[in-house]
Amino acid sequence: MTDTTRDTTRGTAPDAARSTALIIGASRTLGLGLAAELLRRDWDVIGTVRGSRRTGLHDLADSSGGRLTVETLEMTDPRQIAALGGRLAHRAPLDLLFVNAAVTRGDLPIGDVPTDMFTEVMVTNALSPMRVVDRLGPLVAPSGTIGVMSSDQGSISRNTRGGQDLYRASKSALNQLMRCYAARRADDGRTLLLMDPGWVRTELGGSEAELSVEESVPGVAETIERHRGKAGLHFVDHLGQVVPW
């Protein structure tokens, strides 16, 4: 007789082969698209949103057959990060932790950037993602993957045109901090990814960007899956190509 008992701790029927991803910042655009794509690839997904308002992630959860769980997180609040880790302890080990969160505040020369704007962007784009990685990383399996959404604008060697000074600096800082994280864990078997999704038509990317979310996200998911088991830090784009530092 087949056992069809539901595993209520995971929200779906037990399936040892199914992988589980935690996506931080999944309410819209790239984060929401990645959640949907991983569901299509037969993953279980936990996605976070800010605040209590209903989002596209809630709609996706309603149609997921219990395979998508929505959690609330304000990533810039360390107490909320710790609380989320406690709530998800029963879901460990995760196969993927992916942090998708960034803001931009306009294209100002760095000398014109107010101090409070500099602080906001750096805290949101660099410090907070690394706090998530540091504090939720232990939930990831020893052979799992930890990734953050970076950008080729964080590449120093590719910056030949300037512009978007603060946003570029925040992504460069994120890249450097991930390198520090990797260096401290040189013997760790986890895959670490800095992901460049390409120039995507989002609030950040603007209406003139080359790619739609639907064009970028399948490549992001494919690159994540192809790098499974490849320990160490990789700076790659949505086509799986190495991005120069």
Side-chain angles (χ1 to χ4, degrees):
M1 181 175 179
T2 302
D3 182 3
T4 58
T5 302
R6 292 179 64 83
D7 179 355
T8 57
T9 65
R10 293 180 65 88
T12 187
D15 185 347
R18 184 174 288 151
S19 299
T20 301
L22 169 59
I23 303 174
I24 305 297
S27 63
R28 58 193 180 93
T29 60
L30 286 167
L32 178 59
L34 181 58
E37 181 65 24
L38 291 179
L39 287 173
R40 282 192 288 270
R41 292 170 181 253
D42 204 31
W43 290 61
D44 287 339
V45 178
I46 308 161
T48 73
V49 301
R50 296 172 61 196
S52 58
R53 68 180 181 84
R54 187 172 180 85
T55 70
L57 190 67
H58 294 89
D59 296 335
L60 184 62
D62 287 347
S63 63
S64 72
R67 289 174 44 222
L68 170 59
T69 303
V70 179
E71 288 279 353
T72 301
L73 176 68
E74 171 49 68
M75 187 181 66
T76 61
D77 185 343
R79 293 170 300 180
Q80 290 196 28
I81 298 173
L84 178 63
R87 293 197 302 272
L88 296 182
H90 72 281
R91 299 289 298 264
L94 304 173
D95 298 284
L96 171 67
L97 165 63
F98 195 88
V99 185
N100 171 63
V103 296
T104 184
R105 291 295 182 253
D107 188 8
L108 295 175
I110 195 63
D112 293 338
V113 172
T115 300
D116 58 349
M117 181 187 295
F118 183 90
T119 301
E120 177 197 10
V121 172
M122 284 293 184
V123 168
T124 303
N125 294 3
L127 177 58
S128 295
M130 292 310 304
R131 281 176 170 162
V132 169
V133 167
D134 187 63
R135 296 172 191 182
L136 300 186
L139 298 177
V140 178
S143 59
T145 300
I146 298 173
V148 297
M149 194 70 85
S150 185
S151 169
D152 71 345
Q153 292 195 63
S155 167
I156 293 174
S157 62
R158 280 191 174 180
N159 184 7
T160 59
R161 299 176 58 186
Q164 295 292 340
D165 298 12
L166 179 53
Y167 181 76
R168 286 181 186 270
S170 70
K171 288 300 186 180
S172 294
L174 176 64
N175 294 352
Q176 183 69 271
L177 292 171
M178 276 293 282
R179 275 204 150 176
C180 292
Y181 180 89
R184 289 195 180 98
R185 296 161 177 80
D187 297 328
D188 196 315
R190 295 178 179 89
T191 301
L192 303 176
L193 294 179
L194 289 162
M195 179 65 66
D196 167 26
W199 188 19
V200 186
R201 291 190 291 277
T202 64
E203 182 180 341
L204 286 172
S207 60
E208 302 302 315
E210 298 170 347
L211 300 171
S212 66
V213 170
E214 293 75 18
E215 291 168 328
S216 168
V217 161
V220 171
E222 183 68 20
T223 299
I224 289 170
E225 291 192 328
R226 285 182 178 272
H227 278 77
R228 276 185 169 186
K230 297 181 179 180
L233 180 60
H234 311 268
F235 188 10
V236 289
D237 67 14
H238 70 293
L239 299 176
Q241 298 172 338
V242 174
V243 180
W245 294 88

